[in-house]
Amino acid sequence: MQTDNLILTGFRATGKTSVGRIVAARLRWDFRDTDELARQRLGAPIAEIVARHGWPFFRAAEAQLLRELAAMRHTVLATGGGAIEHEKEWRGLRQCALVVWLDADSDTIRRRLQADPDSGHQRPSLTGQAVADEIELLLERRRPMYAAGSDLRLDTAGSTPDQLADAIIQNIRR
């Protein structure tokens, strides 16, 4: 597989954006974040978009964005946690990319979300459930997708973004 791109996938608060920025800077590649691109394109924060139009509208816009990003080169792409659910678009993205799943246990994710003052505004609930229950439910559903749709899994719970970036770059250079 030729690695022209790096795609970071994983649940919310696993470090995709932080790690992605570091890797992109070290490789001198472009950095893109699908959540940020969606906010720019749709003209509002994701929570506001979802409140106004619902999750299906946001997911359709996200799928369109993923289709467009399949043409990128020398780019590190941090995807939203649910992007992995777009099976057809995901296959297109993977063609010239190393896909790294940044994983963490539910307690680590919950702590990170609670420590982030912007989390509630930027990351709307997908299920309407309490945060801890939603994390468990979505992780159970998505973990098999992350595993099947990735080339490498890194546990982020005990590592710094710099350490994770080092591990990713070592894999790209192999």
Side-chain angles (χ1 to χ4, degrees):
M1 167 183 60
Q2 182 170 343
T3 304
D4 290 338
N5 301 299
L6 171 68
I7 299 170
L8 299 175
T9 190
F11 200 75
R12 298 172 174 182
T14 55
K16 299 178 300 284
T17 299
S18 300
V19 173
R21 288 185 194 284
I22 294 168
V23 172
R26 291 184 186 173
L27 293 175
R28 295 190 175 116
W29 285 6
D30 291 332
F31 174 76
R32 301 282 184 264
D33 182 303
T34 60
D35 285 348
E36 181 58 33
L37 291 169
R39 282 191 291 271
Q40 290 171 3
R41 179 174 284 186
L42 299 172
I46 293 172
E48 190 176 318
I49 294 161
V50 170
R52 278 194 217 157
H53 305 287
W55 276 109
F57 174 87
F58 175 77
R59 291 296 182 209
E62 182 180 54
Q64 175 60 38
L65 183 59
L66 294 174
R67 283 190 293 275
E68 293 169 18
L69 289 167
M72 66 188 177
R73 291 296 171 258
H74 300 292
T75 301
V76 176
L77 181 66
T79 62
I84 192 78
E85 295 188 33
H86 299 287
E87 293 177 37
K88 181 180 175 186
E89 291 79 6
W90 200 258
R91 282 192 305 272
L93 281 173
R94 287 192 74 182
Q95 289 180 1
C96 292
L98 174 70
V99 180
V100 178
W101 169 22
L102 298 182
D103 194 15
D105 60 88
S106 58
D107 288 337
T108 299
I109 292 169
R110 190 182 70 256
R111 280 193 307 274
R112 289 177 181 170
L113 289 171
Q114 289 171 340
D116 181 358
D118 295 323
S119 183
H121 302 293
Q122 294 176 354
R123 297 178 170 118
S125 173
L126 291 164
T127 64
Q129 296 182 357
V131 172
D133 295 333
E134 181 171 90
I135 291 168
E136 291 296 332
L137 176 72
L138 291 173
L139 280 176
E140 183 178 327
R141 184 176 84 211
R142 289 183 183 163
R143 276 201 166 118
M145 290 182 233
Y146 292 139
S150 303
D151 303 302
L152 174 67
R153 177 192 169 272
L154 296 175
D155 186 345
T156 68
S159 301
T160 67
D162 281 314
Q163 290 169 326
L164 294 163
D166 289 343
I168 291 167
I169 290 170
Q170 286 174 4
N171 272 277
I172 288 173
R173 292 189 172 148
R174 282 188 193 155

